């Protein structure tokens, strides 16, 4: 390729620098004083001039106009939702107590009626006139001869009698009218009138300590305040305590935000006080103690450092305290389940954190390790990342399952290589698979080295190179690593470990993605030299912090990434470490066995359309029969799967393999039942005895099983 060269001018760099020095003022880090104007002192802000009556007011630092909870739509919506949940809870709380409230209202109304009668009695009985009548009566007794006095007493007594009659009469008429109105009114109006009478009377009958409604506590297990936060940190030994010193003079944290309601919990960002020698890392290490002092489980306390990129410093901590366990409830289905295609170059949907934020994991250029106790969702979670590769036809899968169960069996429709179990034949197949991977890796590196920088600028795989040179991304998935290592001889074990280290260390640049898992990640089961080169780690529940560090990395538990705090209820929940200082507890998306099998069938279709169906998947009898609309008996398909790596197998080993695949179906099988089922499926044994490693015994040959499969299926799979 030739390029035209335009005319150029040769410049002297010394002259060019001198010219620039003359034209451009030097840059200094010293702040220059402001120019003086109208007698103003140079360098002094006009606001700070002496004699300015507004100086104090104008120099007050700007403060946010809106409160913390109202500064974003997310916060507003979360607090609105929290208010709605609180109102709904109070509505139900008081609704179930309505009969109690009605009974209390009747009692208070009766007391109020009594108090009203007592209060009105002086008026009804005209007691304001009784004093005059009593005084005149007393004087008349002293001077009975005074006729005028007797007349005055008689007039006063008559006036009081008339007043009483009028007043009692009016009251009687009013009560009778109200009673008649209530009797004649419709039921709805009767209830309204009763309420209109009872409520004022109940209000009149209340006492100083009387409460009509019960005081229901809001449905919050945590009521956080700055005072409680300081007390918790002080109890954890993170703030100094000086005996005899006033509490207000003790060191305290400074909250740059909160505590405020944030979704289903409290959020606060605080700085540790200077001079105490405590950092944000010290706070993270005291998570359990802080949770205890706040009265919650440590799983409810989510803490992290606030880095400088987010305006933080070495002493700034972001803490969110959930009202309850944020990882329980109905599992979230994986978005991959409804996806038609997916690009493995994009981050893979993985799960959600405690606040419901979606967590995506980038897998390109990465290697992954999954660990944890059995039956905690480890394999289901590991399959999420492999499932993403199923929906990308330019991903080639290499699968090895040391357990050899049903979890990875659907991958036979897609996998270029599939190794099931940890028997001798399977171990040989695993070593052959690793040798094939290493040879492919070296071939790719040789190809990438020869490519021009315009095509391969960074010396590693790109989407364009994948499509142009047919170099699909290689996804290496190995489950139950400890089964292989414990079944191998020492020499084979060391060789396999070295091969895996090479794949995990050098493979990413060639488009290799490693996805390993083990139940027991100790030094004997999974050597540290393999674990330490893994970049992304995930751990479900483990027994202690030491085991957590074995999976997630040394010292991670002290930083807060501790999988031992998870409980038996946290299935599918684990701690995800994506970097030296990045971790999050994730509730992984749920993808069950049938959904995973459906994705495998979808992945096979995508590869057939793209011409990328290769290796063992291209020779899979069951998948080929399904595509051709034919049916292969399940017993034939399962036996072929067990004998995938063996041309012949003893009956006892074959039965054990079938039980491992499907214990519910084959758990009660014996040799006679197996022979009868295979004969019914069309299998004709050429010999009932097989010879393996010099030993003779009852068994089967794979060619006899394959003979029961339609010929067109065998021809299409290359068998």
């Amino acid at each position: 390729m030739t390029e035209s060269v335009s005319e150029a001018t040769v410049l002297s760099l010394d002259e060019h620098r001198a010219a620039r020095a003359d034209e451009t003022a030097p840059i200094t880090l010293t702040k220059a004083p402001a120019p003086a104007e109208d007698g103003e002192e140079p360098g002094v802000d006009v606001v700070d001039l002496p004699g300015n009556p507004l100086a104090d007011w104008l120099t007050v630092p700007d403060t946010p106009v809106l409160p913390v909870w109202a500064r974003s739509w997310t916060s507003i919506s979360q607090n609105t939702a929290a208010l709605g949940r609180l109102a709904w809870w109070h509505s139900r709380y008081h609704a179930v107590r309505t009969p109690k409230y009605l009974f209390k209202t009747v009692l208070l109304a009766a007391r109020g009626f009594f108090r009203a009668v007592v209060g009105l009695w002086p008026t009804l009985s005209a007691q304001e006139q009784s004093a005059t009548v009593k005084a005149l009566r007393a004087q008349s007794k002293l001077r009975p001869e005074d006729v005028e006095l007797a007349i005055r007493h008689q007039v006063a007594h008559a006036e009081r009698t008339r007043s009483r009659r009028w007043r009692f009469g009016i009251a009687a008429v009013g009560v009778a009218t109200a009673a008649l109105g209530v009797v004649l009114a419709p039921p709805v109006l009767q209830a309204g009138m009763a309420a209109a009478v009872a409520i004022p009377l109940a209000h009149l009958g209340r006492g100083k300590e009387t409460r009509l409604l019960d005081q229901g506590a809001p449905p919050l297990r945590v009521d956080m305040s700055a005072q409680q936060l300081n007390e918790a940190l002080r109890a954890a030994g993170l703030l100094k305590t000086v005996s005899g010193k006033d509490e207000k003079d003790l060191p305290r944290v400074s909250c740059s935000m909160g505590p405020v309601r944030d979704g289903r919990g409290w959020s606060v960002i605080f700085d540790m006080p200077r001079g105490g020698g405590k950092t944000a890392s010290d706070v993270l290490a005291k998570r359990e103690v802080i949770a205890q002092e706040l009265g919650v489980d440590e799983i409810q306390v989510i803490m992290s450092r606030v880095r400088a990129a987010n305006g933080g410093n070495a002493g700034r901590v972001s803490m969110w305290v959930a009202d309850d366990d944020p990882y329980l409830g109905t599992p979230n289905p994986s978005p991959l389940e409804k996806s038609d295609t997916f690009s493995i170059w994009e981050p893979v949907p993985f799960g959600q954190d405690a606040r419901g934020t979606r967590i995506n994991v980038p897998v390109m250029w990465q290697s992954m390790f999954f660990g944890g106790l059995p039956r905690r969702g480890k394999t289901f979670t590991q399959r999420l990342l492999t499932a993403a590769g199923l929906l990308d036809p330019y991903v080639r899968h290499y699968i090895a399952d040391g357990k050899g169960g049903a979890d990875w069996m659907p991958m036979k429709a897609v996998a270029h290589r599939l190794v099931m179990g940890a028997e001798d034949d399977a171990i040989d197949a695993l070593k052959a698979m690793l040798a094939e991977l290493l040879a492919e890796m070296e071939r790719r590196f040789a190809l990438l080295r020869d490519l021009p920088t315009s095509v391969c600028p960074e010396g590693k795989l790109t989407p364009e190179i994948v499509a142009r040179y047919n170099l699909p991304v290689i996804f290496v998935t190995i489950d139950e690593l400890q089964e292989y290592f414990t079944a191998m001889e020492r020499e084979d074990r060391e060789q396999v470990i070295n091969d895996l280290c090479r794949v995990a260390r050098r493979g990413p640049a060639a488009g290799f993605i490693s996805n390993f898992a083990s139940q027991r990640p100790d030094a004997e089961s999974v050597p540290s030299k393999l674990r330490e080169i893994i970049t992304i780690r995930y751990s479900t529940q483990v027994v202690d912090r030491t085991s957590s560090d074995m999976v997630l990395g040394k010292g991670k538990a002290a930083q807060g990434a501790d999988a031992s705090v998870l409980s038996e209820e946290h299935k599918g929940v684990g701690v995800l470490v994506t970097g030296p200082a990045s971790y999050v507890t994730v509730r992984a998306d749920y993808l069950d066995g049938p959904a995973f099998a459906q994705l495998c069938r979808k992945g096979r279709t995508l590869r057939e359309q793209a011409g990328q169906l290769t290796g063992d998947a291209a020779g899979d009898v069951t998948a080929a029969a399904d595509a051709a609309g034919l049916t292969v008996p399940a017993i034939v398909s399962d036996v072929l799967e067990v004998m995938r790596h063996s041309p012949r197998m003893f009956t006892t080993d074959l039965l054990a393999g079938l039980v491992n695949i499907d214990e519910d179906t084959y758990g009660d099988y014996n040799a006679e039942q197996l022979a009868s089922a295979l004969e019914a499926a069309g299998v004709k044994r050429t010999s009932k005895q097989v010879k393996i490693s010099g030993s003779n015994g009852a068994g089967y040959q794979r060619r006899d099983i394959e003979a029961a499969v339609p010929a067109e299926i065998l021809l299409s799979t290359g068998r």
Side-chain angles (χ1 to χ4, degrees):
M1 182 182 294
T2 60
E3 296 180 359
S4 60
V5 180
S6 60
E7 295 184 359
T9 303
V10 178
L11 298 176
S12 172
L13 292 179
D14 294 336
E15 295 178 359
H16 182 64
R17 294 191 186 101
R20 290 189 59 185
D22 294 339
E23 297 173 0
T24 307
I27 299 176
T28 176
L29 297 179
T30 305
K31 185 177 180 180
E37 296 182 4
D38 299 332
E40 179 185 333
E41 297 181 14
V44 179
D45 196 330
V46 66
V47 175
D48 297 330
L49 288 177
N52 184 0
L54 300 179
D56 293 338
W57 181 74
L58 292 176
T59 54
V60 173
D62 294 335
T63 57
V65 176
L66 296 175
V68 175
W69 62 268
R71 295 177 191 171
S72 67
W73 284 113
T74 301
S75 179
I76 293 175
S77 61
Q78 289 178 346
N79 280 277
T80 303
L83 179 61
R85 291 194 301 270
L86 183 62
W88 172 237
W89 184 90
H90 276 294
S91 300
R92 291 179 292 141
Y93 178 87
H94 293 296
V96 298
R97 290 162 175 78
T98 300
K100 176 183 177 181
Y101 297 156
L102 291 175
F103 182 72
K104 290 177 67 175
T105 301
V106 172
L107 292 180
L108 292 176
R111 183 193 294 177
F113 178 76
F114 174 76
R115 290 179 177 178
V117 171
V118 172
L120 290 175
W121 184 257
T123 301
L124 294 175
S125 60
Q127 288 189 8
E128 74 278 5
Q129 299 178 7
S130 295
T132 304
V133 173
K134 290 179 180 180
L136 292 174
R137 182 187 299 123
Q139 292 179 8
S140 297
K141 287 181 179 181
L142 293 176
R143 294 182 295 173
E145 70 283 358
D146 192 341
V147 177
E148 182 179 358
L149 186 60
I151 295 174
R152 289 173 57 193
H153 173 262
Q154 185 178 8
V155 171
H157 187 275
E159 183 65 25
R160 186 182 67 174
T161 301
R162 284 194 297 271
S163 298
R164 286 178 175 178
R165 289 174 179 174
W166 276 104
R167 294 178 184 184
F168 276 106
I170 293 174
V173 171
V175 171
T177 303
L180 181 62
V182 170
V183 171
L184 298 179
V188 176
L189 186 57
Q190 286 179 347
M193 296 173 67
V197 174
I199 290 176
L201 290 178
H203 179 74
L204 181 62
R206 77 190 192 285
K208 293 183 178 179
E209 303 297 331
T210 302
R211 292 183 181 274
L212 177 63
L213 301 180
D214 293 346
Q215 299 300 308
L220 302 177
R221 297 184 182 179
V222 184
D223 186 12
M224 193 181 212
S225 65
Q227 178 65 23
Q228 290 173 312
L229 176 62
N230 281 281
E231 291 175 355
L233 295 175
R234 190 164 286 112
L238 298 170
L239 294 178
K240 289 183 178 180
T241 301
V242 182
S243 59
K245 197 171 184 179
D246 193 354
E247 183 179 351
K248 65 181 182 180
D249 297 328
L250 294 176
R252 308 170 68 85
V253 299
S254 58
C255 298
S256 56
M257 186 196 80
V260 295
R261 287 294 300 170
D262 185 1
R264 291 182 176 269
W266 292 87
S267 183
V268 60
I269 299 177
F270 61 90
D271 291 333
M272 295 299 294
R274 298 181 182 179
K278 299 297 183 181
T279 65
S281 299
D282 297 323
V283 179
L284 301 183
K286 294 286 187 177
R287 175 186 175 189
E288 184 177 2
V289 180
I290 294 173
Q292 187 272 333
E293 292 297 327
L294 292 175
V296 298
D297 193 323
E298 56 188 305
I299 197 67
Q300 297 173 238
V301 180
I302 313 298
M303 293 192 296
S304 62
R305 286 188 56 181
V306 181
R307 294 289 181 173
N310 298 320
N313 54 66
R316 180 164 293 184
V317 180
S318 174
M319 182 166 69
W320 185 73
V321 183
D323 297 333
D324 47 25
D325 194 327
Y327 302 108
L328 299 181
T330 305
N332 303 307
S334 173
L336 297 172
E337 188 174 346
K338 297 183 179 180
S339 299
D340 294 327
T341 59
F342 185 81
S343 174
I344 201 64
W345 297 85
E346 300 293 330
V348 177
F350 189 73
Q352 296 181 5
D353 65 6
R355 305 194 200 189
T357 305
R358 167 124 320 257
I359 302 297
N360 299 323
V361 177
V363 297
M364 284 303 299
W365 326 122
Q366 305 292 338
S367 52
M368 295 157 288
F369 183 79
F370 292 77
L373 293 174
R375 291 171 293 279
R376 295 295 183 272
K378 171 178 57 64
T379 298
F380 275 57
T381 307
Q382 184 191 20
R383 286 194 316 196
L384 283 173
L385 303 182
T386 301
L390 293 173
L391 298 178
D392 190 336
Y394 286 92
V395 173
R396 183 175 295 168
H397 289 276
Y398 286 73
I399 308 292
D401 179 15
K403 183 171 61 177
D407 292 332
W408 296 97
M409 192 63 67
M411 287 295 297
K412 64 183 181 181
V414 180
H416 180 81
R417 293 287 178 260
L418 179 62
V419 179
M420 303 297 293
E423 294 76 19
D424 292 341
D425 293 336
I427 290 177
D428 292 338
L430 174 65
K431 292 190 290 186
M433 185 182 82
L434 292 176
E436 180 181 340
L437 286 170
L438 292 175
E440 175 65 13
M441 184 173 66
E442 296 302 331
R443 184 184 76 85
R444 293 190 175 203
F445 278 128
L447 175 62
L448 294 175
R449 284 195 299 268
D450 292 338
L451 293 178
T453 55
S454 59
V455 177
C456 185
E458 298 181 4
K460 59 184 180 180
L461 207 65
T462 65
E464 292 75 18
I465 295 176
V466 168
R468 182 173 179 180
Y469 296 94
N470 192 23
L471 297 177
V473 174
I474 292 181
F475 215 117
V476 184
T477 302
I478 303 180
D479 194 9
E480 308 295 353
L481 267 174
Q482 79 283 349
E483 296 294 333
Y484 291 113
F485 292 150
T486 55
M488 292 178 182
E489 298 294 337
R490 181 175 180 181
E491 294 76 10
D492 290 341
R493 182 174 181 269
E494 290 298 325
Q495 182 61 47
V496 169
I497 290 172
N498 291 332
D499 291 346
L500 290 174
C501 288
R502 290 180 61 189
V503 170
R505 182 171 52 249
R506 300 186 60 222
F512 284 51
I513 301 172
S514 300
N515 186 15
F516 304 150
S518 174
Q519 290 182 7
R520 290 163 30 213
D522 52 66
E524 292 296 326
S525 301
V526 183
S528 58
K529 72 175 183 178
L530 173 60
R531 285 184 280 120
E532 294 303 322
I533 61 176
I534 304 295
T535 53
I536 295 178
R537 305 186 184 194
Y538 180 86
S539 177
T540 57
Q541 184 195 16
V542 292
V543 294
D544 52 29
R545 301 185 72 173
T546 302
S547 300
S548 180
D549 281 348
M550 285 183 180
V551 181
L552 302 177
K554 186 176 181 180
K556 292 298 181 183
Q559 298 177 10
D562 184 9
S564 66
V565 304
L566 301 174
S567 65
E568 291 77 5
E569 291 78 16
H570 294 127
K571 292 184 179 180
V573 179
V575 180
L576 175 67
V577 173
T578 56
S582 301
Y583 66 89
V584 62
T585 301
V586 181
R587 187 182 185 189
D589 294 333
Y590 183 67
L591 185 68
D592 59 9
F596 182 70
Q598 178 63 29
L599 286 180
C600 289
R601 291 191 290 270
K602 190 180 297 185
R604 182 181 180 89
T605 302
L606 292 173
R607 282 158 179 78
E608 289 175 341
Q609 295 172 351
Q612 292 295 320
L613 190 65
T614 59
D616 294 347
D620 183 67
V621 172
T622 305
D626 291 341
L630 302 176
T631 301
V632 174
I635 184 67
V636 173
S637 175
D638 292 339
V639 169
L640 285 175
E641 187 58 44
V642 174
M643 301 181 69
R644 173 182 290 270
H645 312 296
S646 305
R648 60 191 64 84
M649 183 174 289
F650 291 131
T651 302
T652 54
D653 295 334
L654 181 56
L655 285 171
L658 289 173
V659 171
N660 197 27
I661 289 179
D662 190 349
E663 186 174 1
D664 295 335
T665 302
Y666 304 109
D668 298 328
Y669 264 47
N670 54 31
E672 291 74 15
Q673 289 174 310
L674 176 61
S676 176
L678 288 175
E679 183 178 357
V683 175
K684 297 180 180 180
R685 301 170 70 179
T686 58
S687 173
K688 295 184 178 181
Q689 296 285 318
V690 296
K691 187 175 183 179
I692 302 175
S693 300
S695 299
N696 287 317
Y700 293 84
Q701 300 191 50
R702 188 171 63 196
R703 65 171 181 264
D704 293 342
I705 310 300
E706 291 176 345
V709 179
E712 58 269 28
I713 300 301
L714 292 178
L715 292 174
S716 67
T717 58
R719 288 182 179 270

